[in-house]
Amino acid sequence: AAREVADLKRALSGPLGMAGDALFWAALRPLAGSLAVIAVVAGKPWAALVLLVVYNVPHLAVRVRGVMAGASAGGAAVREVLGPGVRRTVAVIRALSSFAAGAAVALGLTGGSVTPGAAAAAAVLFAAALAAVRLRVPITAVAAGGAALGAALTMSGTLGG
């Protein structure tokens, strides 16, 4: 039994590490950082708490759930971690992260003041970005397009820049 566990651990360390890196380092961490920057620009004293909560609560929840699933289902629990649900979650968090990073830049450029019209435009752009992700447009194209549009709107004065 101990050898089986060691073999399973060795076989899954790469794929599980890749899934974890995509979820935590490439998606959740940038989202947490961007939201904390937004809080800093808005002058909120609890900005560091945003960073810690947004990253650590899901991180710890996934760890606990993983241990519980592994204890009850054994190696079969891996299908959930490497399945399409996790990939969709990563795509959505990356889209949210891109939006939050753009919002942080816009707030920084406008000194923290955004008009209601600009906020509505941002919500529409965010919905369009999510739709693009759902239509399988590459996330880099969505992010680059959103950044270019945000820069153009800021320079034109639409976002108050």
Side-chain angles (χ1 to χ4, degrees):
R3 183 174 171 94
E4 273 185 42
V5 171
D7 290 344
L8 182 63
K9 182 178 175 184
R10 189 174 19 263
L12 294 177
S13 65
L16 289 176
M18 244 177 20
D21 286 351
L23 178 59
F24 295 107
W25 288 96
L28 194 57
R29 192 171 185 213
L31 176 63
S34 295
L35 292 175
V37 168
I38 290 171
V40 166
V41 171
K44 304 300 180 189
W46 37 262
L49 189 60
V50 169
L51 175 74
L52 294 173
V53 169
V54 170
Y55 181 80
N56 286 315
V57 168
H59 183 247
L60 293 173
V62 166
R63 282 180 176 255
V64 168
R65 184 171 180 199
V67 168
M68 300 299 278
S72 66
V78 172
R79 275 179 272 219
E80 182 179 334
V81 174
L82 299 177
V86 172
R87 288 190 290 271
R88 282 193 298 272
T89 300
V90 168
V92 169
I93 294 174
R94 283 183 175 171
L96 287 170
S97 180
S98 295
F99 178 76
V105 170
L107 285 171
L109 291 173
T110 62
S113 64
V114 177
T115 65
V124 169
L125 290 174
F126 177 67
L130 276 181
V133 167
R134 304 261 302 146
L135 293 171
R136 300 190 189 277
V137 174
I139 193 69
T140 51
V142 173
L149 185 57
L153 289 173
T154 301
M155 287 188 277
S156 73
T158 304
L159 295 180

